[in-house]
Amino acid sequence: MARVLVLTADAAEELDSMYPVFRLREAGHEAVVAAPTTRAVKLVVHDFEPGWDAYTEKPGHLLPVDLAFAEVDPEECDALVIPGGRAPEYIRTDPDVARVVGHFFERGLPVGTICHGPQVPAALGLLRGRTTAAYPPLKSDVEQAGATFVDGPDVVDGAMVSCRGWPDLPLWSRAFLRVLEESSGARGLDRIRSAR
C-alpha cells in the first residue's frame, strides 16, 4: 500500500480532488489530504454550459483535511497528486508547497497533476524539459515553463502523469495507478536489498 499526498485548498475542483482520493482508497492505497490549514476545504464544481466562453463555477462539497502544508513530511509519502481548480493558482506560492513538491520531483517519485495542477510545478521550475497535459488554455503557461504541452487524457512522462481535467479522470487514474504500482514495487525491492 502506498501513501499518496494530495495537495489542495479552497476552490479546488470537486471531481479533480475527490475522484483521485476515492480511487486511491478503492485500490488499497492511503490518500492523505494536505491544505494550508487542517479545516475542511471548500471545493467548487466547474462545468461547461452552452452560451459560456469559459467554464462555470458553483459551490461544491467540503473535503476533510489530514495535514496542514507545514506539517507534511514528504519522506513519509510515496507519491503526490495536485488536483486542479483555482487552488493551484495560489498554493504554488506557499514555501511548504515548494518544499514538498520539490521532494517528489528531485527523487523521481510519482506525481499526478490534473487540469490546473501543473501550475504548481511550473511556478517552481520543475516542468522544464518535461511533457505534460493541462487544461488546454494553460498551453502557453506550460510552454513558458519549458515543458512540451500534449492535449491528452493520460500523459505519462517518467513518473509524472497529467491530464486536461475531470473528464479525463478514468484514463488518468489508470495511468497514475500503473506508475504508482511500478514505483512502489521498485521501492519495495530497494528496501529488501538495503535490509540485507
Side-chain angles (χ1 to χ4, degrees), residues 2-6 30 32 67 72-80 100 103-104 107 109-110 187 191:
R3 189 169 203 243
V4 182
L5 183 67
V6 180
E30 182 183 3
V32 178
L67 297 169
V72 173
D73 179 356
E75 291 285 347
E76 296 177 353
C77 299
D78 302 296
L80 172 68
V100 169
H103 170 89
F104 290 94
R107 287 158 181 78
L109 296 172
R187 282 194 313 283
R191 288 181 188 132

Side-chain angles (χ1 to χ4, degrees), residues 83-118:
R86 287 187 291 117
E89 178 183 316
Y90 65 91
I91 69 171
R92 63 186 170 174
T93 63
D94 186 296
D96 285 305
V97 167
R99 170 182 61 83
V100 169
V101 174
H103 170 89
F104 290 94
F105 275 89
E106 289 161 13
R107 287 158 181 78
L109 296 172
V111 174
T113 61
I114 302 164
C115 196
H116 285 74

